[in-house]
Amino acid sequence: MKHLRWFPTAALYLLWLGLVPCVLAQQNGAPGDALTDTLRTLTNTVTLRDELRADINATKKAIAEAQSELERADLNKRLEKQEADLQTVRRNFEAIATGVDAGKLRSTSAEEFDFQKELFALLRPAIDEMKEMTAHVRQKADLREKIAYYNERMPTIEQAIANLERLAAQTEDAVLSTAIAGVLGDWKRQYAFMNSELQTAQLQLAKLVESETSIAEASQGYLKSFFQKRGLYLTEALLAVFVVLLASRYSYRALRRYLPGFRAKHRSFRIRLIELIHRTLTFLLVIVGPMVVFYVVEDWVLFSVGLLLLIGAALALRQTIPRYWQQMQIFLNVGAVREGERLYLDGIPWVVEEINIFSTLYNPVADIQQRLHLQNLVSLKSRPVKPDDPWFPCRKGDWVILKDGVRGKVVGISPEMVQLVERGGAKMTYLTSDFLAESPRNLSPSFRIKEAIGISYALQKEATGSVVSRLQEYVQARLKDEGYADQLVNLRVEFCRAGESSLELVVIADFKAELADLFNRLRRAIQRYCVDACSEFGWEIPFPQMTLHGTVQRG
């Protein structure tokens, strides 16, 4: 009966081979040919049905004659399989004869949807392809495991046989000798079976090793076979992607050309929503296009591989969906960062000039620009711009004095560095953050110089009156003589304070930006004017008094 076990399965397979030409004939052939094939298939089905019935009767008879429960259980399993095959053959006969699926009429309730089951059904072609690709390697691993299994157990059997043979040789009891001989025979048969299995496995492994190629050659051969079979389909999929991208490009141009406000600097929410929908549709069509090609050509392996890639991408992007939602809000100009507003980035304030996939930031004073991807704006926030908001301490070409005493002309500003050139041509380069930390003093709009000079207390009566006015007139005349009058905005001389050894006056001079590069020269010139005025008018310039205190020693 064992040879009948595989008969129903083989018969069903042959029946399927008979159905395929029949179906193809119904689709492509003449009606008469299709009818002939249908009748022949029905005849084969009836024959198979009768054979299955005979097998079932034989199995039932064998169950009735079975001597043990174990044999009866095995026969019952076989009977269940045969009855299931008979039921399948009956349904196939009815479906072929009627031309409709009668199962739909008999079903009382729809089968419960199992997402996991359906998903694995879609992925199975790709999994089967991978299994086929690794079948050679897995077969070798199974054979090695089988050889190791027998090699590990055969020494134990050999030891048992040797012990039994020694006992059989030494015993003189006929009954004991017969019992030992029976056990010895069982162990020898088991040893012979294992030895046969071991030799078979070793021979199969040796043949596999002899026939196998290197990994590189095997991979190359598999890839060559893969692309020979599916190269056309892959080309069609790439062509579909190219067509989608080309159509997207031309449709985008049409939107820019014919849609009012699409090219405006600050676009409305409606325009932004249209562009977002366009980009989203393009992305989806690029993904769906190849899948449609694989579905139409019925290449389920490529379809399953594409589905696997999509599932992997979906799982990888699952955690980033909230971030993409924030990016969409910013793109639509309704998020935390908006066009025309001010934000702070890398130590510098920026105005958001344009929001797009690549957004543009601009600093109007430093005249520097920066391009950021939309995702980099998610962690930022902007606020409306006020008229008095400061943007940068200086412009290119301005003269500045830093906290460390360096004075120079700004010749280069970038988001990363600021470069100054001093009088004489020496250049100083600062990181932008370090430059801002030096609190630069900008001389270019206009600047003030304050220089002090002390006169003797002998001029105490005139110090707050005539001395102040005469010194102011003198300094102003000297500035005019040396060509600084046109750039002089304001000049004042004032009494400052009464010091320990002198009365201090201060000269306050405001100059235009044209003289910013002469800042130190002007300071020295004003000091010189003050000394010259004291010499001309006979004003004493005292020096600080130092009192020495001595100690008297007493004897």
Side-chain angles (χ1 to χ4, degrees), residues 1 4 49-65 75 78-80 82-83 86 90:
M1 298 295 292
L4 297 176
R49 183 193 63 186
D50 295 339
E51 291 174 351
L52 283 173
R53 286 176 177 173
D55 291 340
I56 291 173
N57 293 332
T59 303
K60 289 180 178 179
K61 183 178 180 181
I63 292 174
E65 298 174 354
L75 291 172
R78 185 186 305 174
L79 180 62
E80 291 177 0
Q82 291 171 346
E83 289 178 345
L86 179 61
R90 287 173 177 172

Side-chain angles (χ1 to χ4, degrees), residues 87 104 144 150 188 249 259 339 383 459 506 529:
Q87 187 66 24
K104 296 180 180 179
R144 288 195 177 100
Y150 288 126
K188 284 185 176 181
R249 182 180 181 87
L259 192 62
E339 275 189 357
R383 64 170 179 83
L459 299 171
V506 61
Y529 301 156

Side-chain angles (χ1 to χ4, degrees), residues 445-458:
S446 62
F447 62 93
R448 169 172 288 185
I449 295 178
K450 296 174 68 174
E451 294 295 325
I453 188 171
I455 60 176
S456 172
Y457 269 93

Side-chain angles (χ1 to χ4, degrees), residues 98 116 385 481:
T98 60
Q116 185 176 1
V385 178
D481 292 342

Side-chain angles (χ1 to χ4, degrees), residues 150-220:
Y150 288 126
N151 283 330
E152 182 181 354
R153 285 159 178 77
M154 285 185 67
T156 303
I157 299 177
E158 292 173 353
Q159 181 65 36
I161 292 174
N163 293 336
L164 290 170
E165 288 177 344
R166 187 171 60 253
L167 290 174
Q170 294 178 358
T171 184
E172 296 179 356
D173 188 344
V175 177
L176 180 58
S177 178
T178 302
I180 293 175
V183 175
L184 180 60
D186 293 338
W187 279 90
K188 284 185 176 181
R189 283 191 296 273
Q190 187 175 356
Y191 178 80
F193 171 76
M194 283 194 173
N195 189 41
S196 175
E197 291 290 319
L198 176 61
Q199 291 177 355
T200 303
Q202 290 174 340
L203 181 61
Q204 291 176 347
L205 181 61
K207 290 182 178 179
L208 284 176
V209 172
E210 290 177 0
S211 63
E212 73 178 357
T213 57
S214 65
I215 297 178
E217 292 176 354
S219 302
Q220 184 178 2

